[in-house]
Amino acid sequence: MKKSLLALVILLSVGMTAKSQVKIGFEVSFIEPQAHYAEVEMTISGLVKDYIDVKMPVWAPGSYLVREFSKSVEGFGATANGKTLKHEKVRKNAWRVHSGKANSVKIKYRVYAFEVSVRTSFIDDTHAFLSSTGIFMYPDGMLKQASTVKINPYKGWTKVSTGLEPVAGKQFTYTAADFDMLFDSPIEVGNQDVFEFTASGVKHEVAMYGGGNYDKEKLKVDMAKIVEQGTAIYGENPNKHYTFIVHNFSKGSGGLEHLNSTVLGASRNDYNTKEGYKGFLDLVAHEYYHLWNVKRMRPIALGPFDYENENYTPSLWIAEGFTAYYENKLMLRAGFLTEKEFVDQLVTAVSNVSNIPGAQVQSVTEASYDAWIKLYRPNENSNNTTVSYYAKGEVVGILMDIAIAQATKGAKSLDDVMKAMYLQNKAQKRGFTEAEFKAMVEKISGQDFTDFYAKYVNGTHLPEFAKYFGYAGIKVTNEQEGKSTPYLGVTSKKTEGRMFITAIMRNTSAWVDGLSVNDELISIDGTPIEAAVERMPAITGKKVGDVVVIKVARDGVLRDFKVTLNNYPGIKLVGEIDENATELQKKVRQAWM
């Protein structure tokens, strides 16, 4: 027994020593950027096995869809000591290199990058944006291994922007403590306009690609305000430095959070308009708030990551929905929204979710869990069967925040829950479960939230908007109440001069009386259809209960449908701050805002 134990200890010791001696380095070059390619060289030394498997992630954390990044890889090959090594593909995203116990292996491959988004790589003759999960491979079983990345910019390119730590004395060379850090660090290469500001004791770099009518000095001040408001909620800013990579296009949008950086899509000529500038700051607030919510305080399933498979969690409504909500709070507190604008935006958010038929079919936890197969893969019926965990999660955040403030008479708010969960996860060094989050809400509020969860988290109950906003002294009314508005229930789109139905709302006139998506709309009561159907006099001029004859072409066959117009089922909420609110309502409102 003693000999066996000794042998096992020696074997484990040798294995650990061998693993600790492994070194991994990448070198990225751009020989044909105009053709949208990156050349990647990966060196792995300290090997002891006969073979090594290298893998590429199939998805990017923060964007919950399997994107199959390996589809863009070509020209894979490997050498050792100057000799070509045998390799084979062993699964869709994995290559096995037969190293023959060579100590060091050099792997080369090319990546085609031509998809404009914040989550995918794009390369042309003006710049390279490297979304790391679609560029770098990792040795199987070595996700915790450190690595270095050297960037060789294309001729004329002079700058590299990334959240990775630079290696002292080596230009454009960076290090990552493990592959989680590498995959969480996008890289911008080119001639981007770079400026800096310091906020909450942290240096922030902003790398602007694509030009634009932005005012750098104004952005430095205003972005700093958002940083400081986010830090104020949590009491600390966990980064030493932070990088904003901003892609300015004719029409740009979207953002993706990372541990100490973010990628933003913006419209280059909208910075000097009120709505455009506010929209950009909204995006900054959303992605920066992720620094705490989801990058540190996260659902337990979201890290350590499985980069080869879906990572399911019922808690994306907290990770994304609450972040969508908090971008409004940061904007209010930073002075970019008035209280009236804040109320209007949130009341509209509640109204919009209430008008989605799928919100009464899919709970916010189901929406979170099914993100992988539903949110990013919508079809013509999605509006009737699903709801975005962003949108519905935001509404749950609004209601929960006000409920906590009401329960504590204005002493506490959702801010206190988020900070407590952040500190708890930091101490535990792991993510939270749904049960733990609910328990913290109940601890902070001193109230049982079982009924709230049954209605709004695990159920599909419509928001009791008058009740919750009323706690904060906000009067909310439904402008549609008591109105009689004939409504067909279709959305349509003109294609090559012909009008087609693109979606039908559940239980509306069109749904009940047989119209279908892809029907070509020809006429209503003999009047040719030339514009959006719902706005045609043939609909707006009728009364609820009237019957219209709608002619369509379905698969080339003309058909007439008699459709009875029902009343518009939606709501349109308007909020008003009550100046005669009670002292309790004012305290709740203050805690909330």
Side-chain angles (χ1 to χ4, degrees), residues 85-260:
L85 297 177
K86 176 186 174 183
H87 72 271
E88 58 190 315
K89 201 166 186 180
V90 292
R91 59 174 293 163
K92 65 180 181 180
N93 68 317
W95 290 257
R96 177 165 293 172
V97 176
H98 296 275
S99 55
K101 292 186 178 179
N103 178 265
S104 180
V105 169
K106 187 168 290 186
I107 295 168
K108 292 184 178 182
Y109 56 92
R110 308 181 80 201
V111 179
Y112 179 72
F114 193 59
E115 182 178 349
V116 175
S117 82
V118 295
R119 67 193 72 83
T120 50
S121 299
F122 181 89
I123 301 169
D124 67 9
D125 62 343
T126 65
H127 81 129
F129 170 62
L130 307 180
S131 182
S132 298
T133 47
I135 297 293
F136 301 109
M137 297 184 185
Y138 64 94
D140 188 29
M142 298 187 191
L143 284 172
K144 294 299 179 184
Q145 194 71 34
S147 63
T148 59
V149 176
K150 180 182 179 182
I151 302 294
N152 296 319
Y154 185 60
K155 61 182 180 182
W157 295 355
T158 60
K159 297 174 184 176
V160 175
S161 299
T162 180
L164 289 171
E165 295 295 331
V167 175
K170 295 185 178 181
Q171 189 179 34
F172 304 142
T173 304
Y174 305 88
T175 183
D178 55 32
F179 277 89
D180 285 328
M181 189 66 216
L182 177 59
F183 291 148
D184 210 15
S185 302
I187 304 170
E188 176 70 23
V189 190
N191 294 309
Q192 57 271 22
D193 183 16
V194 177
F195 60 91
E196 297 178 353
F197 66 89
T198 299
S200 298
V202 177
K203 186 181 84 170
H204 294 74
E205 176 184 308
V206 183
M208 289 281 196
Y209 164 78
N213 56 10
Y214 53 86
D215 181 334
K216 285 189 279 191
E217 296 308 312
K218 183 175 175 59
L219 281 174
K220 289 178 186 179
V221 174
D222 290 345
M223 292 172 75
K225 291 178 182 178
I226 290 171
V227 169
E228 287 159 1
Q229 290 302 326
T231 305
I233 292 173
Y234 291 92
E236 64 180 34
N237 194 305
N239 285 320
K240 293 180 180 178
H241 58 86
Y242 190 92
T243 302
F244 292 93
I245 297 174
V246 185
H247 292 151
N248 294 301
F249 299 108
S250 58
K251 290 295 178 185
S253 63
L256 188 64
E257 71 277 4
H258 297 281
L259 195 67
N260 68 343

Side-chain angles (χ1 to χ4, degrees), residues 355-358 360 380-381 383-384 485-491 501 503-517 534 539 544 546 550 562-570:
N355 288 332
I356 299 171
Q360 298 180 61
E380 66 283 346
N381 198 41
N383 213 38
N384 293 317
T485 307
Y487 180 65
L488 184 59
V490 305
T491 56
I501 295 176
I504 294 179
M505 300 289 277
R506 184 185 293 273
N507 296 331
T508 59
S509 306
W511 174 287
V512 172
D513 288 327
L515 294 180
S516 176
V517 168
E534 297 290 2
I539 297 294
V544 172
D546 283 351
I550 300 180
K562 290 183 178 181
V563 179
T564 302
L565 296 175
N566 295 328
N567 193 31
Y568 174 65

Side-chain angles (χ1 to χ4, degrees), residues 368-382:
S368 299
Y369 201 85
D370 284 345
W372 299 90
I373 59 173
K374 292 189 176 181
L375 182 67
Y376 291 99
R377 292 175 176 170
N379 62 26
E380 66 283 346
N381 198 41
S382 292

